[in-house]
Amino acid sequence: AIFSWVLNNYWTTNFLASQEGELKWTYQVSSLPDPSNAPAKRFGMGNRIPFLSRVFPASSKPDSNFLPRSFFATTRNNLALISARPSSDGKGIILQMRETTGKNDSIPVDDLSLSSDDISRAMKAMSVSEVNVLEKPIRLLWQRGAVAAGKYHPVWIRFNPYETKFLFIGL
């Protein structure tokens, strides 16, 4: 048996022991063959914060294809995208990412050897920097044009166990 007691009117308070309006709760229960934190995190995040979808208008050109791109695959690593929002100056996007399993992990910013998209290609970024919570730059990780200048090397963002980082994606 599973019991859920979502309201408590046991304690004496200075307000009514009743609640007006509609109340709604949802529950998700699953049994997973893998008891580790990574699948549980994916299940929990998927139910708590489902991925957003967006409808794109039809193309004005006949027979044109829109190819969606994503740098973030939850099966590749144990990183969670906590939030994505426009930067305060309006010149980019701030990503808050966290490692969730207690193991070192990384995500690609720019790596030509990958068959999948990385941050630079998926977001058509001009630059990627690590910033603090106030959006103050900590260090520049990647800038478009380094390949042309002969300075190319793969760029990956490394995360220590349970580390949270804020990234500025310059557009």
Side-chain angles (χ1 to χ4, degrees), residues 80-85 94-98 164-167:
L81 178 61
I82 305 301
S83 68
R85 61 180 172 78
I94 300 293
L95 304 178
Q96 179 185 359
M97 300 185 77
R98 179 174 38 203
T164 295
K165 288 188 178 187
F166 293 87
L167 307 173

Side-chain angles (χ1 to χ4, degrees), residues 25-157:
W25 289 269
T26 60
Y27 297 88
Q28 290 81 26
V29 179
S30 174
S31 66
L32 301 168
D34 184 356
S36 67
N37 287 344
K41 183 262 316 183
R42 286 187 195 102
F43 178 77
M45 293 288 287
N47 284 291
R48 182 176 163 261
I49 309 169
F51 283 115
L52 299 175
S53 22
R54 181 175 174 191
V55 176
F56 290 94
S59 174
S60 59
K61 299 177 185 175
D63 298 327
S64 64
N65 292 325
F66 174 75
L67 299 174
R69 303 178 84 134
S70 175
F71 70 92
F72 193 73
T74 57
T75 57
R76 178 173 51 199
N77 51 41
N78 297 311
L79 300 174
L81 178 61
I82 305 301
S83 68
R85 61 180 172 78
S87 62
S88 58
D89 63 5
K91 296 180 180 177
I93 299 170
I94 300 293
L95 304 178
Q96 179 185 359
M97 300 185 77
R98 179 174 38 203
E99 196 288 319
T100 59
T101 59
K103 299 175 184 171
N104 291 325
D105 210 337
S106 59
I107 192 164
V109 174
D110 185 48
D111 192 341
L112 297 176
S113 67
L114 293 176
S115 59
S116 60
D117 279 332
D118 51 30
I119 293 175
S120 65
R121 285 180 278 186
M123 301 184 80
K124 298 183 180 172
M126 298 304 291
S127 65
V128 177
S129 299
E130 186 176 343
V131 297
N132 66 18
V133 69
L134 301 174
E135 300 182 19
K136 303 294 182 210
I138 295 173
R139 63 188 172 114
L140 178 67
L141 300 170
W142 175 86
Q143 191 164 13
R144 185 169 301 285
V147 176
K151 300 177 185 175
Y152 177 75
H153 62 279
V155 178
W156 289 68
I157 301 169

Side-chain angles (χ1 to χ4, degrees), residues 1-5 29:
I2 298 175
F3 298 95
S4 172
W5 189 344
V29 179

